[in-house]
Structure formats: structure tokens, C-alpha cells
Amino acid sequence: MELIQQLVNGISLGSIYALIALGYTMVYGIVRLINFAHGDVFMVGAFVGFYAITGLHVGFFPALLMAMAVCAILGVCIERIAYRPLRNATRIAALITAIGVSLFIEYGTIYIRGAQPEAYPSTLLPDKKIEVFGVMISSQSLWILATSIVLMILLQLIVHKTKIGKAMRAVSYDAEAARLMGINVDNTISATFAIGSALAGAAGVIFGIYYVKIEPLMGIIPGLKAFVAAVLGGIGIIPGAMVGGLVLGVIESLVSGLGYSLWRDGVAFIVLILILIFRPSGLFGKNVREKV
């Protein structure tokens, strides 16, 4: 019974990692860039949701949509201001810029609002205990899981059923050929950043409800773990990011359940080391040409 409880907790946590990891994997699949500012977009989403709830007195879903909208705009601004001028620069230049953007967002937030943490209202989602197969499961965990699954399904529909999704897949496979076919590559890349950042913003609100406490440096560890999840699933592969996030969340919860809670952060990086040694292409990766 305890195992089932830990699996539910792990899947709920893993769904948050998966939402963040999707942004990493989409951007990498399109422009071969590891956007290390992505974890800080997640942090901004958490604060936007918090201020929407406490300042505008809206519910969970309006706050979620507001956070997604603000983070989508932020993602586009980051791409156009910081990354687009470096599109043809060396990868190390783009990487250094990503780290710089990350620090700018973190300490810009601290400068604007201070470093003090905030607490999400505990009554935002109903938190009743539901008995499933003899195990008492929090209804809040089920709400979080359901919201995450819906967002992942919507992403899959966007990527595979819409015009912008087809453009994203074309640019991912061969940007020059896509440009010759009349696809606006710059707009497609901006749309990719917008969608990935919107998902990170949603993850920020969900994280705030799940863990209650949020603060300006909260994006560092979840951002790194989401990157591990993306690598675990096969970076650049959308289903891989989803599965990688869920697997990582379950591993963390099982480690905590066994009494090694101090190792729950370290185990993510042990997983990263092992996957890079034994299967560097990830669980879903096949070869270096694998795309979104």
C-alpha cells in the first residue's frame, strides 16, 4: 500500500518535471540550444499565478492560464532579444548567454520584489482523501496529475495536428529546407519558445500548489532536474521528455519513501551520469538524427 502511495506521489511530481522538460526538449529539437533560463521562466510562472490568486482573487484555472500567457510572452522576448542574434554563433556563446539570462531573471526578480518567499493559499484546490485500492490518495494530487496530462495531450495535438506543429517538425528536421518551402523559420522558433515557456509557467503554478512555498531561486533545482528528465527520455523527443519526467519523479519518491530523503536531489544527477554512460541518446533516442 505504501508503494502505491509513493507511486502516486512520484507520478504527480514527475508530471511537473515533464512539463518543464518539454520546454527544454522542444527548444533543443528546433535550434539545438539548451535554454538554461527555462527554469527561471518556471519561477516567473509560479509568481504570476500567486499574484493572480492573491491580488486578483481568481481561481486555479484562470491563474494557470494567466501564468501560461505571461510566460509565453516572456519566452518569445528571451528568444528574440537574447538568442536570435546568436543564431549563427558558436554553441558556447549561446550557452553562456542562456546562463546570463537565467541570472538576470533570478536577480531581477529579487531586485523588484525582494528575496522573501511566498506561500500559495492551501484552499486553492480541494484536498480530500480518496480511497483507491485501499490507499488514501490526496484529491489535490489527482487534480495536479489530471491538469498535467491534459496539457501534455494538448501539446501533442498542437505538434501533430496543427499548421504550426507541422512547421515545427519541418524546421526541426531541416531548417534550410523548411525555409525554401516557404516556412517562416524565425516565427516557428518563436512559437516553440512560446509553447515551451507556457508549459513551464503552468508547471510553476502546479508546483506552488504542490509544495506551497515559492521564492525567486526556486527554478534552479527543478530546472536542472527537468533537464535530466529531458536527457533521460532523449533530448529533442517530446514523448521522451514526458516519460523521463514521470520516471524521474517516481524514482525520487521511491528514494524518499525508503528513508533516503536527503538523497532525493542527488539521485537525479546519478541518473544523469548513468544515462550518459550507458545510453547517451536517452530511452527514446535512436541516433543523432532523431528529432521532435
Side-chain angles (χ1 to χ4, degrees):
M1 298 303 177
E2 179 67 22
L3 176 62
I4 295 175
Q5 180 68 64
Q6 292 301 329
L7 286 175
V8 172
N9 293 339
I11 291 172
S12 297
L13 176 61
S15 65
I16 298 174
Y17 292 155
L19 287 176
I20 309 172
L22 285 167
Y24 278 114
T25 209
M26 289 173 67
V27 169
Y28 184 83
I30 296 287
V31 293
R32 295 295 182 268
L33 167 70
I34 302 298
N35 179 20
F36 280 117
H38 194 62
D40 299 295
V41 175
F42 155 81
M43 176 271 292
V44 170
F47 274 102
V48 170
F50 172 78
Y51 287 122
I53 292 161
T54 58
L56 301 178
H57 306 291
V58 300
F60 168 66
F61 289 107
L64 187 78
L65 293 174
M66 290 175 68
M68 292 177 70
V70 171
C71 287
I73 295 169
L74 177 61
V76 172
C77 291
I78 290 171
E79 189 274 327
R80 293 198 173 186
I81 296 171
Y83 298 144
R84 185 173 294 185
L86 299 174
R87 188 78 50 81
N88 298 317
T90 60
R91 291 192 179 183
I92 190 67
L95 178 63
I96 292 169
T97 301
I99 295 171
V101 172
S102 172
L103 292 171
F104 176 79
I105 295 173
E106 289 169 9
Y107 290 96
T109 303
I110 291 174
Y111 178 79
I112 292 169
R113 63 163 302 278
Q116 71 276 11
E118 301 284 2
Y120 261 69
S122 59
T123 57
L124 196 58
L125 283 179
D127 193 12
K128 300 177 181 178
K129 296 296 181 182
I130 301 173
E131 186 174 346
V132 180
F133 302 116
V135 179
M136 300 305 292
I137 298 173
S138 167
S139 62
Q140 192 176 82
S141 296
L142 297 179
W143 272 105
I144 288 171
L145 179 59
T147 304
S148 301
I149 290 173
V150 167
L151 289 172
M152 292 181 200
I153 292 172
L154 285 175
L155 174 64
Q156 285 290 81
L157 292 174
I158 289 171
V159 170
H160 293 284
K161 301 295 183 180
T162 66
K163 187 175 181 180
I164 188 63
K166 292 177 182 178
M168 287 163 57
R169 287 184 284 134
V171 173
S172 171
Y173 191 80
D174 191 326
E176 289 303 318
R179 185 176 281 109
L180 291 172
M181 295 299 293
I183 294 173
N184 189 320
V185 173
D186 287 338
N187 286 351
T188 302
I189 291 172
S190 293
T192 304
F193 271 84
I195 295 169
S197 298
L199 292 174
V205 177
I206 293 171
F207 183 94
I209 294 170
Y210 194 75
Y211 284 103
V212 181
K213 177 185 172 184
I214 61 171
E215 46 93 16
L217 300 181
M218 63 176 279
I220 297 173
I221 295 300
L224 289 173
K225 288 181 180 178
F227 171 68
V228 172
V231 174
L232 174 61
I235 192 155
I237 305 169
I238 287 176
M242 297 178 187
V243 173
L246 294 173
V247 169
L248 189 61
V250 169
I251 291 172
E252 276 195 30
S253 290
L254 291 177
V255 168
S256 297
L258 291 172
Y260 299 101
S261 57
L262 293 177
W263 281 89
R264 63 175 296 164
D265 289 339
V267 73
F269 301 102
I270 293 172
V271 168
L272 177 62
I273 292 168
L274 292 176
I275 200 73
L276 289 176
I277 291 173
F278 296 107
R279 190 171 175 81
S281 60
L283 298 176
F284 283 62
K286 295 180 181 180
N287 53 57
V288 296
R289 293 287 296 173
E290 193 71 47
K291 306 291 182 180
V292 170

Coordinates of all heavy atoms in Angstrom, one line a residue, residues 37-127:
A37 N 17.8 29.2 -19.1 CA 16.9 30.2 -18.4 C 15.5 29.6 -18.3 O 14.6 30.3 -17.7 CB 16.8 31.5 -19.2
H38 N 15.2 28.4 -18.7 CA 13.9 27.8 -18.7 C 13.4 27.6 -17.3 O 12.2 27.8 -17.0 CB 13.9 26.5 -19.5 CG 12.6 26.0 -19.8 ND1 11.7 26.7 -20.6 CD2 11.9 24.9 -19.5 CE1 10.6 26.0 -20.8 NE2 10.7 24.9 -20.1
G39 N 14.3 27.2 -16.4 CA 13.9 27.0 -15.0 C 13.4 28.3 -14.4 O 12.5 28.3 -13.5
D40 N 13.9 29.4 -14.8 CA 13.5 30.7 -14.3 C 12.2 31.2 -14.9 O 11.5 32.0 -14.2 CB 14.7 31.7 -14.5 CG 15.9 31.3 -13.8 OD1 15.9 31.2 -12.5 OD2 16.9 31.0 -14.5
V41 N 11.9 30.8 -16.1 CA 10.6 31.0 -16.6 C 9.5 30.3 -15.8 O 8.5 30.8 -15.5 CB 10.5 30.6 -18.1 CG1 9.1 30.7 -18.6 CG2 11.5 31.4 -19.0
F42 N 9.9 29.1 -15.4 CA 9.0 28.3 -14.5 C 8.8 29.1 -13.2 O 7.7 29.2 -12.6 CB 9.7 27.0 -14.2 CG 9.4 26.3 -12.9 CD1 8.3 25.5 -12.8 CD2 10.3 26.3 -11.9 CE1 8.0 24.8 -11.6 CE2 10.0 25.7 -10.7 CZ 8.9 24.9 -10.6
M43 N 9.9 29.7 -12.6 CA 9.7 30.5 -11.4 C 8.8 31.7 -11.6 O 7.9 32.0 -10.8 CB 11.1 31.0 -11.0 CG 11.1 31.9 -9.8 SD 11.0 33.7 -10.2 CE 12.6 33.9 -11.0
V44 N 9.0 32.4 -12.7 CA 8.1 33.5 -13.1 C 6.6 33.1 -13.1 O 5.7 33.8 -12.6 CB 8.5 34.2 -14.4 CG1 7.5 35.2 -14.8 CG2 9.9 34.9 -14.2
G45 N 6.4 31.9 -13.7 CA 5.0 31.4 -13.8 C 4.4 31.2 -12.4 O 3.2 31.5 -12.2
A46 N 5.2 30.7 -11.5 CA 4.8 30.4 -10.1 C 4.4 31.8 -9.5 O 3.3 31.8 -8.8 CB 5.8 29.7 -9.3
F47 N 5.2 32.8 -9.7 CA 4.8 34.1 -9.1 C 3.6 34.8 -9.7 O 2.8 35.4 -9.1 CB 6.1 35.0 -9.1 CG 7.0 34.8 -7.9 CD1 8.1 34.1 -8.0 CD2 6.6 35.3 -6.6 CE1 9.0 33.8 -7.0 CE2 7.5 35.1 -5.6 CZ 8.6 34.4 -5.7
V48 N 3.5 34.7 -11.1 CA 2.4 35.2 -11.8 C 1.1 34.6 -11.2 O 0.1 35.3 -11.0 CB 2.5 35.1 -13.3 CG1 1.2 35.4 -14.0 CG2 3.7 35.9 -13.8
G49 N 1.1 33.3 -11.1 CA 0.0 32.6 -10.6 C -0.4 33.0 -9.2 O -1.5 33.2 -8.8
F50 N 0.7 33.1 -8.3 CA 0.5 33.6 -6.9 C -0.2 34.9 -6.9 O -1.2 35.1 -6.1 CB 1.8 33.6 -6.2 CG 1.8 34.1 -4.8 CD1 1.2 33.4 -3.8 CD2 2.2 35.5 -4.6 CE1 1.1 34.0 -2.5 CE2 2.1 36.0 -3.3 CZ 1.6 35.3 -2.3
Y51 N 0.4 35.9 -7.6 CA -0.2 37.3 -7.6 C -1.6 37.3 -8.2 O -2.4 38.2 -7.8 CB 0.8 38.2 -8.2 CG 2.0 38.5 -7.4 CD1 3.3 38.2 -7.9 CD2 1.9 39.0 -6.1 CE1 4.4 38.4 -7.1 CE2 3.1 39.2 -5.3 CZ 4.3 38.9 -5.8 OH 5.4 39.1 -5.0
A52 N -1.8 36.5 -9.2 CA -3.2 36.4 -9.8 C -4.2 35.9 -8.7 O -5.3 36.5 -8.6 CB -3.2 35.5 -11.0
I53 N -3.8 34.9 -8.0 CA -4.7 34.4 -7.0 C -4.9 35.3 -5.8 O -6.0 35.5 -5.3 CB -4.1 33.0 -6.5 CG1 -4.2 32.0 -7.6 CG2 -4.9 32.5 -5.3 CD1 -3.3 30.8 -7.4
T54 N -3.8 35.9 -5.3 CA -3.9 36.7 -4.1 C -4.3 38.1 -4.4 O -4.9 38.8 -3.5 CB -2.5 36.7 -3.3 OG1 -1.5 37.1 -4.2 CG2 -2.2 35.3 -2.8
G55 N -3.9 38.7 -5.5 CA -4.1 40.0 -5.9 C -5.4 40.2 -6.6 O -6.2 41.2 -6.3
L56 N -5.7 39.4 -7.6 CA -6.9 39.5 -8.4 C -8.0 38.6 -8.0 O -9.1 38.6 -8.5 CB -6.5 39.2 -9.9 CG -5.5 40.0 -10.5 CD1 -5.2 39.6 -12.0 CD2 -5.9 41.5 -10.5
H57 N -7.7 37.7 -7.0 CA -8.7 36.8 -6.4 C -9.3 35.9 -7.4 O -10.6 35.7 -7.4 CB -9.7 37.6 -5.6 CG -9.1 38.5 -4.6 ND1 -8.5 38.1 -3.4 CD2 -9.0 39.9 -4.6 CE1 -8.0 39.1 -2.8 NE2 -8.3 40.2 -3.4
V58 N -8.5 35.3 -8.3 CA -9.1 34.4 -9.3 C -8.8 33.0 -8.8 O -8.1 32.8 -7.8 CB -8.4 34.6 -10.7 CG1 -8.7 36.0 -11.2 CG2 -6.9 34.3 -10.6
G59 N -9.4 32.0 -9.4 CA -9.3 30.6 -9.1 C -8.0 30.0 -9.7 O -7.3 30.7 -10.4
F60 N -7.9 28.7 -9.5 CA -6.8 27.9 -10.0 C -6.6 28.0 -11.5 O -5.6 28.4 -12.1 CB -6.9 26.5 -9.6 CG -5.9 25.6 -10.2 CD1 -4.5 25.7 -10.0 CD2 -6.3 24.6 -11.1 CE1 -3.6 24.9 -10.6 CE2 -5.4 23.8 -11.8 CZ -4.0 23.9 -11.5
F61 N -7.7 27.7 -12.3 CA -7.6 27.7 -13.7 C -7.3 29.0 -14.4 O -6.5 29.1 -15.3 CB -8.8 26.9 -14.3 CG -8.8 25.5 -14.0 CD1 -9.7 24.9 -13.1 CD2 -7.9 24.6 -14.6 CE1 -9.7 23.6 -12.8 CE2 -7.9 23.3 -14.3 CZ -8.8 22.7 -13.4
P62 N -8.0 30.1 -13.9 CA -7.7 31.4 -14.5 C -6.2 31.8 -14.2 O -5.5 32.4 -15.1 CB -8.7 32.4 -13.8 CG -9.8 31.5 -13.5 CD -9.2 30.2 -13.1
A63 N -5.8 31.5 -13.0 CA -4.4 31.8 -12.6 C -3.4 31.0 -13.5 O -2.4 31.5 -13.9 CB -4.1 31.5 -11.1
L64 N -3.8 29.7 -13.8 CA -2.9 28.9 -14.6 C -2.8 29.5 -16.0 O -1.7 29.6 -16.6 CB -3.5 27.5 -14.7 CG -2.7 26.4 -15.4 CD1 -1.6 25.9 -14.5 CD2 -3.6 25.2 -15.8
L65 N -4.0 29.9 -16.6 CA -4.0 30.5 -17.9 C -3.2 31.8 -18.0 O -2.5 32.1 -18.9 CB -5.4 30.7 -18.4 CG -6.2 29.4 -18.6 CD1 -7.7 29.8 -18.9 CD2 -5.6 28.6 -19.7
M66 N -3.3 32.6 -16.9 CA -2.6 33.9 -16.9 C -1.1 33.6 -16.8 O -0.3 34.3 -17.5 CB -3.0 34.7 -15.7 CG -4.4 35.3 -15.8 SD -5.0 36.2 -14.4 CE -3.9 37.6 -14.4
A67 N -0.7 32.7 -16.0 CA 0.8 32.3 -15.9 C 1.3 31.8 -17.2 O 2.4 32.2 -17.7 CB 1.0 31.3 -14.8
M68 N 0.5 31.0 -17.9 CA 0.9 30.5 -19.2 C 1.1 31.6 -20.2 O 2.0 31.6 -21.0 CB -0.1 29.4 -19.7 CG -0.1 28.2 -18.9 SD -1.3 27.0 -19.4 CE -0.7 26.4 -21.0
A69 N 0.1 32.6 -20.2 CA 0.2 33.7 -21.2 C 1.4 34.6 -20.9 O 2.1 34.9 -21.9 CB -1.1 34.5 -21.1
V70 N 1.6 34.9 -19.7 CA 2.8 35.8 -19.3 C 4.1 35.1 -19.7 O 5.0 35.7 -20.3 CB 2.7 36.2 -17.9 CG1 4.0 36.9 -17.5 CG2 1.6 37.1 -17.6
C71 N 4.2 33.8 -19.4 CA 5.4 33.1 -19.6 C 5.7 32.9 -21.1 O 6.8 32.8 -21.6 CB 5.4 31.7 -18.9 SG 5.6 31.9 -17.1
A72 N 4.6 32.7 -21.9 CA 4.7 32.6 -23.3 C 5.3 33.9 -23.9 O 6.2 33.8 -24.7 CB 3.4 32.3 -24.0
I73 N 4.8 35.0 -23.4 CA 5.4 36.3 -23.9 C 6.8 36.4 -23.5 O 7.7 36.9 -24.3 CB 4.5 37.5 -23.4 CG1 3.1 37.4 -23.9 CG2 5.2 38.8 -23.6 CD1 2.1 38.3 -23.3
L74 N 7.1 36.0 -22.2 CA 8.5 36.1 -21.7 C 9.4 35.2 -22.6 O 10.5 35.6 -22.9 CB 8.5 35.7 -20.3 CG 9.9 35.7 -19.6 CD1 10.6 37.0 -19.6 CD2 9.8 35.1 -18.2
G75 N 9.0 34.0 -22.9 CA 9.8 33.1 -23.7 C 10.1 33.7 -25.1 O 11.2 33.6 -25.5
V76 N 9.1 34.3 -25.7 CA 9.3 35.0 -27.0 C 10.3 36.1 -26.9 O 11.2 36.3 -27.7 CB 8.0 35.4 -27.6 CG1 8.3 36.3 -28.9 CG2 7.1 34.3 -27.9
C77 N 10.2 36.9 -25.8 CA 11.1 38.0 -25.6 C 12.5 37.5 -25.4 O 13.5 38.1 -26.0 CB 10.7 38.9 -24.4 SG 9.2 39.8 -24.7
I78 N 12.7 36.5 -24.6 CA 14.0 35.9 -24.4 C 14.6 35.4 -25.7 O 15.8 35.7 -26.0 CB 14.0 34.8 -23.4 CG1 13.6 35.3 -22.0 CG2 15.3 34.0 -23.4 CD1 13.3 34.2 -21.0
E79 N 13.8 34.8 -26.5 CA 14.3 34.2 -27.8 C 14.7 35.4 -28.7 O 15.8 35.3 -29.3 CB 13.3 33.4 -28.4 CG 13.7 32.6 -29.7 CD 13.7 33.4 -31.0 OE1 12.7 34.2 -31.1 OE2 14.5 33.2 -31.8
R80 N 13.9 36.4 -28.8 CA 14.2 37.5 -29.8 C 15.3 38.4 -29.3 O 16.1 38.9 -30.2 CB 12.9 38.3 -30.0 CG 11.8 37.5 -30.7 CD 10.8 38.3 -31.3 NE 9.8 37.5 -32.1 CZ 8.9 38.0 -32.9 NH1 8.7 39.3 -32.9 NH2 8.1 37.2 -33.6
I81 N 15.4 38.6 -28.0 CA 16.4 39.6 -27.6 C 17.8 38.9 -27.3 O 18.8 39.4 -27.7 CB 16.0 40.2 -26.3 CG1 14.7 41.1 -26.5 CG2 17.1 41.1 -25.6 CD1 14.0 41.6 -25.3
A82 N 17.8 37.7 -26.7 CA 19.0 37.1 -26.3 C 19.5 36.0 -27.2 O 20.7 35.9 -27.4 CB 18.8 36.4 -24.9
Y83 N 18.6 35.2 -27.8 CA 19.1 34.1 -28.6 C 19.1 34.3 -30.1 O 20.0 33.8 -30.8 CB 18.2 32.8 -28.3 CG 18.3 32.4 -26.9 CD1 17.2 31.9 -26.2 CD2 19.5 32.5 -26.1 CE1 17.2 31.5 -24.9 CE2 19.5 32.1 -24.8 CZ 18.4 31.6 -24.2 OH 18.4 31.2 -22.9
R84 N 18.2 35.0 -30.6 CA 18.1 35.2 -32.1 C 19.4 35.9 -32.7 O 19.9 35.4 -33.7 CB 16.9 36.0 -32.5 CG 16.7 36.1 -34.0 CD 15.4 36.7 -34.4 NE 14.3 35.9 -34.1 CZ 13.0 36.2 -34.4 NH1 12.8 37.3 -35.1 NH2 12.0 35.5 -34.0
P85 N 20.0 36.9 -32.0 CA 21.2 37.5 -32.6 C 22.4 36.5 -32.6 O 23.4 36.7 -33.3 CB 21.5 38.6 -31.6 CG 20.2 39.0 -31.0 CD 19.5 37.7 -30.9
L86 N 22.3 35.4 -31.8 CA 23.4 34.4 -31.7 C 23.0 33.2 -32.4 O 23.7 32.1 -32.2 CB 23.6 34.1 -30.2 CG 24.1 35.3 -29.3 CD1 24.2 34.9 -27.9 CD2 25.4 35.8 -29.8
R87 N 22.0 33.2 -33.3 CA 21.6 32.0 -34.0 C 22.7 31.3 -34.8 O 22.8 30.1 -34.8 CB 20.5 32.4 -35.0 CG 19.8 31.3 -35.7 CD 18.7 30.6 -34.8 NE 17.8 31.5 -34.2 CZ 16.7 32.1 -34.7 NH1 16.5 31.8 -36.0 NH2 15.9 32.9 -34.1
N88 N 23.7 32.1 -35.3 CA 24.8 31.5 -36.1 C 26.1 31.6 -35.3 O 27.2 31.3 -35.9 CB 24.9 32.2 -37.4 CG 23.7 32.0 -38.3 OD1 23.1 31.0 -38.4 ND2 23.3 33.1 -38.9
A89 N 26.0 31.9 -34.0 CA 27.3 32.0 -33.2 C 27.6 30.6 -32.8 O 26.9 29.6 -33.0 CB 27.0 32.9 -32.1
T90 N 28.8 30.5 -32.1 CA 29.2 29.2 -31.5 C 28.2 28.7 -30.4 O 27.6 29.6 -29.8 CB 30.6 29.3 -31.0 OG1 30.6 30.2 -29.9 CG2 31.6 29.7 -32.0
R91 N 28.2 27.4 -30.2 CA 27.3 26.9 -29.1 C 27.7 27.4 -27.7 O 26.8 27.6 -26.9 CB 27.3 25.4 -29.2 CG 26.6 24.9 -30.4 CD 26.4 23.4 -30.3 NE 25.7 22.9 -31.5 CZ 25.3 21.6 -31.7 NH1 25.5 20.8 -30.7 NH2 24.7 21.2 -32.8
I92 N 29.0 27.6 -27.5 CA 29.4 28.1 -26.2 C 28.9 29.5 -26.0 O 28.5 29.8 -24.8 CB 30.9 28.0 -26.1 CG1 31.4 28.2 -24.6 CG2 31.6 29.0 -27.0 CD1 30.9 27.1 -23.7
A93 N 28.8 30.3 -27.0 CA 28.3 31.7 -26.8 C 26.8 31.6 -26.4 O 26.4 32.4 -25.6 CB 28.5 32.5 -28.1
A94 N 26.1 30.8 -27.1 CA 24.6 30.6 -26.8 C 24.5 30.1 -25.3 O 23.6 30.5 -24.6 CB 23.9 29.7 -27.8
L95 N 25.3 29.2 -25.0 CA 25.2 28.6 -23.6 C 25.5 29.6 -22.6 O 24.8 29.7 -21.6 CB 26.2 27.4 -23.5 CG 26.3 26.7 -22.1 CD1 24.9 26.1 -21.8 CD2 27.4 25.7 -22.1
I96 N 26.5 30.4 -22.8 CA 26.9 31.5 -21.8 C 25.8 32.5 -21.7 O 25.4 33.0 -20.6 CB 28.2 32.1 -22.2 CG1 29.4 31.1 -22.0 CG2 28.5 33.4 -21.4 CD1 30.7 31.6 -22.6
T97 N 25.2 32.8 -22.9 CA 24.0 33.8 -22.9 C 22.9 33.2 -22.1 O 22.2 33.9 -21.4 CB 23.6 34.0 -24.3 OG1 24.7 34.6 -25.0 CG2 22.5 35.0 -24.4
A98 N 22.6 31.9 -22.3 CA 21.5 31.3 -21.5 C 21.7 31.4 -20.0 O 20.8 31.7 -19.3 CB 21.3 29.8 -21.9
I99 N 22.9 31.1 -19.6 CA 23.2 31.3 -18.1 C 23.1 32.7 -17.7 O 22.5 33.0 -16.6 CB 24.7 30.8 -17.9 CG1 24.8 29.2 -18.2 CG2 25.1 31.0 -16.4 CD1 26.2 28.7 -18.1
G100 N 23.5 33.7 -18.5 CA 23.4 35.1 -18.2 C 21.9 35.5 -18.1 O 21.5 36.2 -17.2
V101 N 21.1 35.0 -19.0 CA 19.6 35.3 -19.0 C 19.0 34.7 -17.7 O 18.2 35.4 -17.0 CB 18.9 34.8 -20.2 CG1 17.4 34.9 -20.1 CG2 19.4 35.5 -21.5
S102 N 19.5 33.5 -17.3 CA 19.0 32.9 -16.1 C 19.3 33.8 -14.9 O 18.4 34.0 -14.1 CB 19.6 31.5 -16.0 OG 19.3 30.9 -14.7
L103 N 20.5 34.2 -14.8 CA 20.9 35.0 -13.6 C 20.2 36.4 -13.6 O 19.8 36.9 -12.6 CB 22.4 35.2 -13.6 CG 23.2 34.0 -13.4 CD1 24.7 34.3 -13.6 CD2 23.1 33.5 -11.9
F104 N 20.0 36.9 -14.8 CA 19.3 38.2 -15.0 C 17.8 38.1 -14.4 O 17.3 39.0 -13.7 CB 19.3 38.7 -16.4 CG 18.5 39.9 -16.7 CD1 19.0 41.2 -16.4 CD2 17.2 39.9 -17.2 CE1 18.3 42.3 -16.6 CE2 16.5 41.0 -17.4 CZ 17.1 42.3 -17.1
I105 N 17.1 37.0 -14.8 CA 15.8 36.8 -14.4 C 15.7 36.6 -12.9 O 14.9 37.2 -12.2 CB 15.1 35.7 -15.1 CG1 15.0 36.0 -16.6 CG2 13.7 35.3 -14.5 CD1 14.5 34.8 -17.5
E106 N 16.6 35.8 -12.4 CA 16.6 35.5 -10.9 C 16.8 36.7 -10.1 O 16.0 37.1 -9.2 CB 17.7 34.5 -10.6 CG 17.4 33.1 -11.1 CD 18.6 32.2 -11.0 OE1 19.6 32.6 -10.4 OE2 18.6 31.0 -11.5
Y107 N 17.9 37.5 -10.4 CA 18.2 38.6 -9.5 C 17.4 39.8 -9.9 O 17.3 40.7 -9.1 CB 19.7 38.8 -9.6 CG 20.4 37.7 -8.9 CD1 21.0 36.6 -9.6 CD2 20.5 37.7 -7.5 CE1 21.6 35.6 -8.9 CE2 21.1 36.6 -6.8 CZ 21.6 35.6 -7.5 OH 22.2 34.5 -6.8
G108 N 16.9 39.9 -11.1 CA 15.9 40.9 -11.5 C 14.7 40.8 -10.6 O 14.1 41.8 -10.1
T109 N 14.2 39.5 -10.5 CA 13.0 39.3 -9.6 C 13.3 39.7 -8.2 O 12.5 40.3 -7.5 CB 12.6 37.8 -9.7 OG1 12.4 37.4 -11.1 CG2 11.4 37.5 -8.9
I110 N 14.5 39.3 -7.7 CA 14.8 39.7 -6.3 C 14.9 41.2 -6.1 O 14.4 41.8 -5.1 CB 16.2 39.1 -5.9 CG1 16.0 37.5 -5.8 CG2 16.7 39.6 -4.6 CD1 17.4 36.8 -5.6
Y111 N 15.4 41.9 -7.2 CA 15.5 43.4 -7.1 C 14.1 44.0 -7.1 O 13.9 44.9 -6.3 CB 16.3 43.9 -8.3 CG 16.4 45.4 -8.3 CD1 17.3 46.1 -7.6 CD2 15.6 46.1 -9.2 CE1 17.4 47.5 -7.6 CE2 15.6 47.5 -9.3 CZ 16.5 48.2 -8.4 OH 16.6 49.6 -8.5
I112 N 13.2 43.4 -7.9 CA 11.8 44.0 -8.0 C 11.0 43.7 -6.7 O 10.3 44.6 -6.2 CB 11.1 43.5 -9.2 CG1 11.8 44.0 -10.5 CG2 9.7 43.9 -9.2 CD1 11.4 43.4 -11.8
R113 N 11.0 42.5 -6.2 CA 10.1 42.1 -5.2 C 10.8 41.7 -3.9 O 10.1 41.4 -2.9 CB 9.1 41.0 -5.6 CG 9.9 39.7 -6.0 CD 8.9 38.5 -6.0 NE 8.2 38.3 -4.8 CZ 8.8 37.7 -3.7 NH1 10.0 37.3 -3.7 NH2 8.0 37.6 -2.7
G114 N 12.1 41.6 -3.9 CA 12.8 41.1 -2.7 C 13.0 39.6 -2.7 O 12.4 38.9 -3.6
A115 N 13.7 39.0 -1.8 CA 14.1 37.6 -1.8 C 13.2 36.8 -0.9 O 13.3 35.6 -0.8 CB 15.5 37.4 -1.4
Q116 N 12.2 37.4 -0.2 CA 11.4 36.7 0.7 C 10.5 35.7 0.0 O 9.9 36.0 -1.1 CB 10.5 37.6 1.6 CG 9.4 38.3 0.9 CD 9.8 39.6 0.1 OE1 11.0 39.8 0.0 NE2 8.9 40.4 -0.4
P117 N 10.3 34.5 0.6 CA 9.4 33.5 0.0 C 7.9 33.9 0.2 O 7.6 34.7 1.0 CB 9.8 32.2 0.7 CG 10.2 32.7 2.0 CD 10.9 34.0 1.8
E118 N 7.1 33.2 -0.6 CA 5.6 33.4 -0.5 C 5.0 32.0 -0.4 O 5.6 31.0 -0.7 CB 5.1 34.1 -1.7 CG 5.6 35.5 -2.0 CD 5.0 36.6 -1.1 OE1 4.3 36.2 -0.2 OE2 5.4 37.7 -1.3
A119 N 3.8 32.0 0.1 CA 3.1 30.7 0.3 C 1.8 30.7 -0.5 O 1.0 31.6 -0.3 CB 2.8 30.4 1.8
Y120 N 1.6 29.7 -1.3 CA 0.3 29.6 -2.0 C -0.8 29.3 -1.1 O -0.6 28.6 -0.1 CB 0.4 28.5 -3.1 CG 0.7 28.9 -4.5 CD1 1.9 29.5 -4.8 CD2 -0.2 28.8 -5.5 CE1 2.2 29.9 -6.1 CE2 0.0 29.2 -6.8 CZ 1.3 29.8 -7.1 OH 1.5 30.2 -8.3
P121 N -2.0 29.8 -1.3 CA -3.2 29.5 -0.5 C -3.5 28.0 -0.5 O -3.5 27.4 -1.5 CB -4.3 30.3 -1.1 CG -3.7 31.3 -1.9 CD -2.4 30.8 -2.4
S122 N -3.6 27.4 0.7 CA -3.8 26.0 0.8 C -5.2 25.5 0.4 O -5.4 24.3 0.2 CB -3.6 25.6 2.3 OG -4.5 26.2 3.2
T123 N -6.1 26.4 0.3 CA -7.5 26.0 -0.1 C -7.8 26.2 -1.6 O -9.0 26.2 -2.0 CB -8.5 26.9 0.7 OG1 -8.3 28.3 0.4 CG2 -8.4 26.6 2.2
L124 N -6.8 26.4 -2.4 CA -7.0 26.7 -3.8 C -7.6 25.5 -4.5 O -8.5 25.7 -5.4 CB -5.6 27.0 -4.5 CG -5.7 27.7 -5.8 CD1 -6.5 29.0 -5.7 CD2 -4.3 27.9 -6.3
L125 N -7.2 24.3 -4.2 CA -7.8 23.1 -4.8 C -8.3 22.2 -3.7 O -7.8 22.2 -2.6 CB -6.8 22.3 -5.6 CG -6.4 22.8 -7.0 CD1 -5.4 21.9 -7.6 CD2 -7.6 22.9 -7.9
P126 N -9.4 21.5 -3.9 CA -9.9 20.7 -2.8 C -8.9 19.6 -2.4 O -8.3 19.0 -3.3 CB -11.2 20.1 -3.4 CG -11.1 20.2 -4.9 CD -10.3 21.5 -5.1
D127 N -8.7 19.4 -1.2 CA -7.7 18.4 -0.7 C -8.3 17.4 0.2 O -8.1 17.4 1.4 CB -6.5 19.2 0.0 CG -5.3 18.2 0.2 OD1 -5.3 17.2 -0.4 OD2 -4.4 18.6 1.0

